Amino acid sequence: MYAEIDLGALQHNYRYAKSLGSGKTLAVVKANAYGHGLERVARSLAGGDGFAVATVEEAVSLRDVGLRNRLLVLQGVFDREDLREAVRCRLDLLIHSDYQLDLLRSAPASQPFSVWLKIDTGMGRLGFDCDDAPRIYAALSELPSVRECIITTHLACADEIDSPHNTLQLQRFDRAVRAVRAFAGQNGRRSLPLAQSIANSAALIGLPDARRQWNRAGVMLYGVNPRAGTWQDRKLKNVMTLRSRLIAVRSVRAGETVGYGCDYRFFHDGRFGIVACGYGDGYPRHAPSGTPVLVCGRRTQLVGRVSMDMLAVDLSAIPEATVGTEVELWGGSVPVAEVAANAGTIPYELLGGLTARVPRIYRSSISERE
Ligand SMILES: *Cc1c(COP(=O)(O)O)cnc(C)c1O
């Protein structure tokens, strides 16, 4: 089995993300580029505005392969060792807590970097209180190692474009920016250049007010529209297709069962196939019978429980399927979001959870095959 990754589609999606709004767009490549392979994905987007990753380790691995783009660490530094690496690798650092401000005080002035000041406008995860923004901005302004401040926040409900929570978060953000500007305008102070960043994929697509100088596009680059109830978007192209083969084809009598727990019972005489793919590869174990699978260009369904290395599909209506027939577990014909919805999860988890055992095969474009 393998995951075919269409780098042409990835680049198309990045260009589309960039076309929304007038700002710059960081490609979010955390978690192994949402399972697509950090290095290859980053190389193919190296002509863009830069990258965001979650951890210093991820950022270092991008520098180690020679990528010199702007590179933001979304969690910032955790200790002095992180800070040393961050300075050495010329990373953009986010700060969300006072302990990180203390760490930045020990950074050398010789290699100044940009700092992303994160405020919590209602996500309830990382960030300073909005009222603290001027205080943190003031402290950063006094550090010779800091050359720019990008005020940033993260939206909790961006995938629900009509949620009043979005309006509330944007209002709080804009108020904090005004307070920082008022502070920066006071005489006699060094005033750090200021920029803003709010939007993730969902906000970039659905909330024009959230588009600022810097946007952060993640899941949309991989072809998934995160807006609630949508997932698919004709403007986005599918990037990953997870394929495997039938390694056995079996006949079954009415009343017989398939797999662990005798979970699925055939009510008619029929046929089923065993696909070499299981939760050991990252296919969700909780995908129930009925989850779509593509065999011979036709949709059929998963039957019985997913095991570690195998799953079963109903072939009763696909007589031409034989041992060796290719199967699409998710991709251009079976959206990963649909598989995720069946399994009670989100496409982020399935893409990011694809395991190391699955080879990634890169193509520049597979669109003509779809
Ligand atoms: C992961 C992440 C993003 C990207 O989110 P998507 O929904 O994948 O676009 C943006 N900003 C922050 C802070 C993140 O952690």
Side-chain angles (χ1 to χ4, degrees):
M1 76 168 307
Y2 60 98
E4 190 167 79
I5 313 270
D6 182 348
L7 296 173
L10 176 80
Q11 290 169 335
H12 165 90
N13 295 338
Y14 180 75
R15 281 194 299 274
Y16 174 57
K18 281 227 24 126
S19 76
L20 301 169
S22 56
K24 296 189 174 182
T25 299
L26 294 181
V28 182
V29 294
K30 61 194 179 188
N32 196 27
Y34 292 50
H36 293 66
L38 178 61
E39 182 185 338
R40 291 298 297 269
V41 164
R43 277 192 197 289
S44 99
L45 297 178
D49 298 326
F51 301 105
V53 291
T55 66
V56 171
E57 286 79 2
E58 290 174 316
V60 168
S61 73
L62 284 181
R63 287 289 186 249
D64 284 349
V65 297
L67 284 156
R68 307 168 76 90
N69 303 66
R70 188 121 182 203
L71 183 44
L72 166 65
V73 181
L74 290 163
Q75 293 174 358
V77 290
F78 187 68
D79 53 27
R80 275 171 182 268
E81 176 60 23
D82 272 358
L83 180 67
R84 251 195 311 278
E85 286 292 272
V87 170
R88 179 179 73 82
C89 293
R90 300 176 173 271
L91 308 180
D92 276 26
L93 292 180
L94 181 142
I95 62 167
H96 54 75
S97 297
D98 275 306
Y99 77 87
Q100 293 176 312
L101 187 58
D102 291 337
L103 281 168
L104 294 195
R105 292 203 167 93
S106 64
S110 54
Q111 285 162 291
F113 47 84
S114 298
V115 172
W116 296 57
L117 194 183
K118 182 147 183 173
I119 53 176
D120 187 354
T121 55
M123 170 73 181
R125 201 173 58 179
L126 292 181
F128 292 98
D129 287 349
C130 293
D131 294 343
D132 282 336
R135 172 177 73 84
I136 307 301
Y137 175 82
L140 292 174
S141 297
E142 281 168 17
L143 300 182
S145 56
V146 179
R147 66 164 176 230
E148 178 193 14
C149 175
I150 297 128
I151 304 192
T152 185
T153 197
H154 198 43
L155 301 177
C157 303
D159 57 335
E160 303 161 38
I161 47 172
D162 296 324
S163 166
H165 199 66
N166 294 321
T167 315
L168 180 71
Q169 287 198 258
L170 290 172
Q171 282 168 352
R172 287 175 176 164
F173 184 83
D174 289 335
R175 199 181 315 130
V177 169
R178 280 195 298 275
V180 168
R181 282 220 184 95
F183 175 86
Q186 287 169 24
N187 283 339
R189 294 188 201 273
R190 170 188 183 226
S191 63
L192 221 43
L194 207 56
Q196 303 170 34
S197 175
I198 303 175
N200 59 0
S201 298
L204 197 47
I205 293 169
L207 292 170
D209 283 353
R211 301 171 186 158
R212 302 290 164 102
Q213 289 99 325
W214 286 96
N215 303 307
R216 310 182 304 270
V219 78
M220 71 182 294
L221 302 179
Y222 310 100
V224 176
N225 182 337
R227 267 178 58 185
T230 310
W231 296 115
Q232 272 176 287
D233 187 325
R234 278 177 297 116
K235 300 218 174 73
L236 297 172
K237 292 189 178 174
N238 182 69
V239 176
M240 180 193 291
T241 303
L242 184 61
R243 297 185 205 278
S244 188
R245 291 181 186 279
L246 296 175
I247 58 168
V249 173
R250 313 275 311 278
S251 295
V252 63
R253 288 286 174 80
E256 287 178 347
T257 61
V258 176
Y260 281 119
C262 301
D263 239 25
Y264 184 85
R265 189 176 299 275
F266 272 84
F267 287 104
H268 52 77
D269 291 355
R271 270 183 1 131
F272 67 95
I274 300 296
V275 181
C277 174
Y279 62 81
D281 303 295
Y283 192 90
R285 198 184 83 86
H286 294 289
S289 295
T291 302
V293 179
L294 196 81
V295 182
C296 298
R298 273 190 279 162
R299 278 177 168 237
T300 180
Q301 51 164 339
L302 183 74
V303 289
R305 283 190 206 166
V306 174
S307 39
M308 186 179 277
D309 314 306
M310 284 172 262
L311 55 80
V313 290
D314 191 351
L315 299 178
S316 302
I318 311 181
E320 68 272 35
T322 59
V323 167
T325 292
E326 240 190 27
V327 170
E328 176 185 314
L329 283 319
W330 65 62
S333 302
V334 178
V336 63
E338 197 179 333
V339 178
N342 273 273
T345 182
I346 54 174
Y348 298 75
E349 189 181 13
L350 299 195
L351 295 173
L354 199 70
T355 65
R357 164 164 107 179
V358 181
R360 274 71 164 170
I361 311 261
Y362 295 90
R363 308 233 188 282
S364 62
S365 198
I366 57 171
S367 48
E368 58 282 359
R369 291 179 56 181
E370 283 180 347

